[in-house]
Amino acid sequence: MSAEGKGAELFNANCALCHGRKGDLGMNGAKDLGLSSLTRVEMIAMVTNGKGAMMPYKNVLTPKQIEAVVDHVRTLRKAG
Ligand code: HEC
């Protein structure tokens, strides 16, 4: 499977413990990803370099995997 096709799998493995599978769990002060107003580019930078209680993923995931996981995050956005 291509890295691009693995966004949901990567999210559930690396991100769901704080953010939850739907992005709204909010553990450890994590924000509700469904309400995030960050752009795709800002999210990629945030996941790559980390912020506050969220660790950087640049040594954990490849740039392509980070893009795939961010594209999955963007599907969790709530309408409106
Ligand atoms: C240890 C818990 C934890 C894990 C694991 C985690 N996050 Fe976070 N995440 C946070 C916290 C806490 C914040 C808020 C950081 C801040 O603004 O200070 C955050 C913020 C974010 C934001 C920015 C939301 C916004 O609008 O400001 C994105 C996007 C995000 N996380 C995506 C991810 C992705 C994708 C992964 C997996 C690769 C991940 N997170 C893993 C805790 C976590």
Side-chain angles (χ1 to χ4, degrees), residues 58-71:
K58 61 185 165 210
N59 298 323
V60 179
L61 302 174
T62 66
K64 272 200 176 303
Q65 287 176 320
I66 291 175
E67 281 188 43
V69 98
V70 163
D71 285 340

Side-chain angles (χ1 to χ4, degrees), residues 10-11 14-19 27-33 35-38 42-44 46-47 51-55 57 61 66 69-70 73:
L10 290 167
F11 183 86
N14 293 284
C15 321
L17 71 160
C18 292
H19 290 291
M27 288 292 284
N28 301 310
K31 295 187 179 170
D32 183 342
L33 298 179
L35 302 177
S36 178
S37 58
L38 296 185
E42 287 168 338
M43 282 189 181
I44 289 170
M46 155 92 212
V47 175
K51 188 183 174 197
M54 188 173 139
M55 63 178 257
Y57 280 87
L61 302 174
I66 291 175
V69 98
V70 163
V73 166

